[in-house]
Amino acid sequence: MWREFLWILLGHGHLTAQDLLPLLPDSEILKKDIHLKSSESPEVSIIIPVYNQLAYTYNCLLSLREKISTHIQYEIIVIDDCSTDSTHTFFMSNATGIVYIRNMDNMGFLRSCNKAASQAKGRFLCFLNNDTQARNGWLENLLKTFFTDQAVGCAGSKLIFPNGLLQEAGGIIYRNGSTDRYGSLEPADLLRFNKAKEVDYCSGASLMIRKTDFERLHCLDDQYTPAYYEDTDLCMGVKHILGKKIIYQPQSQIVHFEKISSIQEAVSSLLHNNRHKFKNKWRIELLQHSEIP
């Protein structure tokens, strides 16, 4: 235990209010421009699905511009699911170096991700929520996980709440199909959450996979449309169909504001229905998992 407190005292991964970008009104964002150095031959395609919430999307992109190493060839794909705020105006007039796709009809989160992935040029796909802000080393540390161990199929980031507490250090899947997060609401700097490890799944808020593996699994399973459990299902496919590892990579860190635009009643219903679908699909494989303690 003393080693974990020493880790905190040394300040490893400490998050302060000064690390977070302030939210601006749309009227202020429309006065600003943003340019990212996307590559024509990217190693990684960063896919950001959006629906409204331009202020969060703008800050997400600012953080990527500042935090991604210049040594990585990447492209950023923003797929807009018929936003009704100023999102479309901003990307048509104020943003360069970004692949912007606007759906003609509302497709939902899952189908938007699949659509963007089909147009991605990178060898690796990195799905990233727009309500996130990347920290130093976010992308390069996710990417290096695959080159450290060729058996890695997916790699996910450490997710941190805006107050600095840990949101997730990888996830657990129980036998009944329900899930849980390692370390949620504990100090994010504890040493036990700062070691890469194999987990059942990682959140799609920041999740990397080879494009060839994504296609071998036939993309995100459409039965979970519009959203929820699609990332858990993808990780199950990586492990049980492809025979590869799911790795939590704590050196890749993002601040995740989480569900800033969700209606909680709708979320609860979707989670319940999709957990039932997930359990039916993976009922044999789930027998290998533990019961809820």
Side-chain angles (χ1 to χ4, degrees):
M1 182 64 71
W2 67 270
R3 292 179 65 197
E4 295 194 336
F5 286 115
L6 178 61
W7 183 268
I8 294 173
L9 289 173
L10 289 174
H12 291 279
H14 185 61
L15 177 68
T16 67
Q18 288 72 32
D19 295 319
L20 300 178
L21 296 165
L23 290 172
L24 301 176
D26 287 11
S27 58
E28 288 299 312
I29 295 173
L30 290 175
K31 297 176 184 177
K32 300 178 180 294
D33 296 321
I34 188 166
H35 174 72
L36 287 104
K37 298 178 180 179
S38 292
S39 170
E40 288 297 318
S41 301
E43 180 80 351
V44 183
S45 296
I46 302 167
I47 295 172
I48 306 175
V50 304
Y51 176 72
N52 293 334
Q53 302 297 339
L54 175 59
Y56 286 91
T57 304
Y58 177 69
N59 282 350
C60 176
L61 294 172
L62 285 180
S63 74
L64 298 185
R65 186 182 67 183
E66 299 303 320
K67 305 300 184 183
I68 296 178
S69 168
T70 56
H71 300 295
I72 297 180
Q73 299 296 303
Y74 68 90
E75 67 173 349
I76 293 177
I77 302 174
V78 172
I79 182 158
D80 178 2
D81 201 19
C82 301
S83 293
T84 57
D85 64 357
S86 302
T87 294
H88 181 62
T89 301
F90 176 79
F91 281 98
M92 293 302 293
S93 305
N94 303 61
T96 56
I98 297 168
V99 179
Y100 175 68
I101 304 169
R102 182 172 171 87
N103 294 336
M104 297 299 294
D105 299 296
N106 191 277
M107 298 177 66
F109 177 87
L110 186 154
R111 290 174 179 167
S112 292
C113 287
N114 282 344
K115 179 179 177 179
S118 71
Q119 299 184 36
K121 298 177 182 177
R123 290 203 303 133
F124 291 87
L125 306 176
C126 185
F127 296 98
L128 181 68
N129 279 19
N130 70 322
D131 58 340
T132 60
Q133 291 183 26
R135 304 188 73 192
N136 284 328
W138 163 72
L139 187 62
E140 47 266 52
N141 284 313
L142 267 188
L143 189 59
K144 79 174 184 181
T145 309
F146 290 85
F147 298 104
T148 302
D149 183 351
Q150 292 299 311
V152 173
C154 273
S157 303
K158 177 198 278 190
L159 309 185
I160 303 171
F161 283 113
N163 63 7
L165 293 178
L166 183 66
Q167 184 178 117
E168 178 183 310
I172 309 164
I173 303 173
Y174 294 113
R175 187 172 297 181
N176 69 350
S178 62
T179 62
D180 203 356
R181 299 163 161 176
Y182 283 112
S184 184
L185 296 177
E186 296 199 48
D189 300 329
L190 291 179
L191 185 57
R192 66 179 179 271
F193 303 130
N194 285 278
K195 297 178 180 179
K197 64 178 181 179
E198 189 171 355
V199 293
D200 290 338
Y201 80 97
C202 289
S203 168
S206 177
L207 185 67
M208 184 177 286
I209 185 172
R210 292 178 181 86
K211 186 176 182 181
T212 52
D213 284 344
F214 189 72
E215 291 170 341
R216 285 175 65 193
L217 293 171
H218 308 292
C219 308
L220 299 175
D221 191 337
D222 198 69
Q223 72 169 317
Y224 301 108
T225 297
Y228 297 106
Y229 265 87
E230 73 285 338
D231 47 2
T232 314
D233 179 84
L234 180 68
C235 289
M236 285 288 280
V238 166
K239 180 176 181 178
H240 293 287
I241 296 175
L242 303 183
K244 295 185 176 183
K245 300 176 184 177
I246 315 301
I247 299 296
Y248 159 69
Q249 177 51 263
Q251 294 180 16
S252 171
Q253 300 180 12
I254 62 166
V255 179
H256 185 208
F257 292 84
E258 192 179 37
K259 297 183 177 67
I260 47 90
S261 60
S262 296
I263 300 173
Q264 293 307 306
E265 292 81 1
V267 169
S268 179
S269 177
L270 284 169
L271 282 170
H272 175 78
N273 292 336
N274 284 356
R275 181 170 73 86
H276 181 71
K277 296 173 183 177
F278 176 81
K279 183 180 178 182
N280 285 341
K281 177 176 177 178
W282 299 104
R283 61 188 180 278
I284 302 301
E285 291 80 6
L286 285 171
L287 293 175
Q288 304 172 29
H289 290 245
S290 301
E291 298 281 4
I292 299 177

